[in-house]
Amino acid sequence: MNNKEKPVPHNEPERLAALKRYNILDTLPEHAFDDATKLVSYICGVPIAHISFIDENRQWFKSEIGIGVSEVPREISFCQYTIMDTKLVEIPDTFLNEQFRNDPNVVDGFKIRFYAGIPLTTPDGYNIGTICAIDHTTKELNDNQRNALSIIAKHVINQLELRTKNIELDTQKKIAELAVLAKDSFLANMSHEIRTPLNAVIGFTDLLAQTKLDKLQRDYIDSVQIAGENLLLIINDILDLSKIESGNLAIEAQPFNLKKTLKHVYDLLKVKASPAVEFNLFLDADMPEMVIGDHGRLNQILVNLTGNALKFTEEGEVTISVKKIDETADYYSLRFSVKDTGIGIPEDKLKTIFDRFTQAEESTTRRFGGTGLGLNIVKQLIEMQNSQIHVKSKENRGSEFFFQINYKKANPVESETESIADDDLGKLKILLCEDNIINQKLAKSVILNFGFELDIAENGEKGIDLLLQNEYDLVLMDLQMPFKDGYQTTEYIRNEMNSNIPIIAMTAHSLVGEQERCFKIGMDAYVPKPFKQQLLLETIKTVINKDNKAQPKRKIDLSYLDDLSCGNPNFKQEMIALFIEKIPNEAIQLEEAIQNIDHDKVKKLSHNMKSSIDLFMLDDLSHCLSVIEQEAKSGQFTETSNKITVLQYGIADVIKILKEL
């Protein structure tokens, strides 16, 4: 047989290309293929069975029983002949076969006496490998066994197709995730570049509006303020849309004064109402004062809907109304409505009014402005609170937008934390860390107007020097600065200086998750630029009087550890002590392994740490480790750098609490 020319299929280049498409060669064992091989051995009653693939030079075994090697040269394999055929090749007795009787694996080697092989044929007709049943004694398969081999061969090809499709889907998913990340980063960077000058425009306009102006100057200033606010609204809409798409916009659950929130919306917008429009706020007499929910998102929804109603109503009425629909032991069910007598919406446009970048008529944008994003964001914010928004409208007769939200009841203790401490803050001394000269000048004017003192540092390093030399009541911290940015400076203040001075983050950058990161490293509040003077003052009041307000703190659930301890307090203390000793060191090792791109070590460390983290039911940190472990398995880090940062801050927080225990 060795003197004969090696058989090669007529379509060998295409066959090899088809094989390479599956990326199956030299892959790790997989249960699906191993199970198929066991099935062949069982059905045919043979000690040797395999699934193999044949490339230019070798026969490589994806799965085998009774062979003990991973590959053999192609020229000594029986299967080089099988892939030349279109059906099962069966040799009941190799001693009686002229082609194989003197083969080394017949007279010696594997001592093959019986051989049955069926080609693995791709959907486009290429034989890329074989399924074989081999025995040391003569044998002949029956029809059922032959049919079974044919079915298993088709199953293996289907498995390959499915495997390939999953790999392609995973690749496309990663490409899509990278595209979303790139888009979010682009939007955030563009936001920063627009917000920085806009902060100065709006801020100095507010200051100018507080000076003595004649009627014409007042008119000009009002126009600039309206233009600035409209531009800011568009930027915020785009960023909110980005956060919703990436799943990073969360609905909070905090006690808030519902009546004050609704009154705030009314007061905010009544100045925009035309003199020919009667603007009303109707509140149900049974409506609760305090509830638990996201007052910021409710404010955003109502400002958007009411702003639209006022914009599209030139005369008549615009009415916000809130009515209590139902009440249980734990929840209030409230119906919110914004009704107007404006231009209305054509019936054929009602189904698309909530679509992105859509307005009822093309002329609407030219006449009234807007991006067509507001209603889409409103719809998604309401759906995130397990509700739906509805609209009733008739052209030239007006519209009504309405929705229903369930708010949890607030108990008296939670309600008390809503009260603001005494407004008399005295003569505060404030340090501003800010590198932009225009923003420095703006902040100085605003802070001096508040009656406070201000020192300015153009970067984090100079800010730290000033903190070491002087006593300050508060730090206003820009996040993007040279030498030391706001994050690094805050970490130094908290960890190296051991200072608890209140720190308010101020930034024109709006990366997804940035606010959460600020709080995790120890900042007390977050004010986005461009800022309103009143918002900044209220934030300063809040952090200065933070001792009078309930501060959020991570809660650690020890119930699982209690169950494991079976009432043994020593066991519980030992586990806590072990966690405190072990986990911070492992977190450092994990970060080093990530920096060194050591996928195996990252996979092992993240898996081991997750077991310890789960004992303390720290679900957010466990999720971070799951993401890191999964990316280590895939060999590509995308979210890992963000997750390791969140993990480290979370672990530091947990260790501090456990030490107190």
Side-chain angles (χ1 to χ4, degrees), residues 431 455-457 461-470 472:
L431 172 63
D455 286 345
I456 298 174
E461 286 185 355
K462 293 197 174 180
I464 290 169
D465 290 341
L466 287 173
L467 279 170
L468 292 170
Q469 297 168 23
N470 304 299
Y472 294 100

Side-chain angles (χ1 to χ4, degrees), residues 99-149:
Q99 190 173 31
F100 295 109
R101 64 196 303 174
N102 297 317
D103 187 281
N105 277 317
V106 172
V107 298
D108 199 11
F110 289 110
K111 297 187 182 300
I112 299 173
R113 192 72 184 273
F114 165 79
Y115 172 88
I118 187 167
L120 294 171
T121 307
T122 67
D124 45 359
Y126 298 108
N127 294 340
I128 58 172
T130 60
I131 287 183
C132 294
I134 299 170
D135 207 338
H136 304 301
T137 61
T138 60
K139 187 184 291 287
E140 187 169 350
L141 301 179
N142 59 41
D143 288 341
N144 288 335
Q145 290 171 317
R146 295 186 186 103
N147 286 335
L149 277 179

Side-chain angles (χ1 to χ4, degrees), residues 167-213:
I167 291 172
E168 289 174 358
L169 285 172
D170 190 52
T171 302
Q172 292 301 319
K173 180 185 175 186
K174 287 178 180 175
I175 291 171
E177 287 172 347
L178 287 172
V180 169
L181 186 65
K183 183 202 69 176
D184 287 344
S185 181
F186 170 77
L187 289 175
N189 287 326
M190 287 303 297
S191 160
H192 180 257
E193 294 304 312
I194 297 171
R195 280 171 180 265
T196 298
L198 188 59
N199 180 52
V201 171
I202 292 178
F204 282 116
T205 305
D206 284 345
L207 289 172
L208 191 57
Q210 295 169 22
T211 64
K212 188 175 181 180
L213 302 170

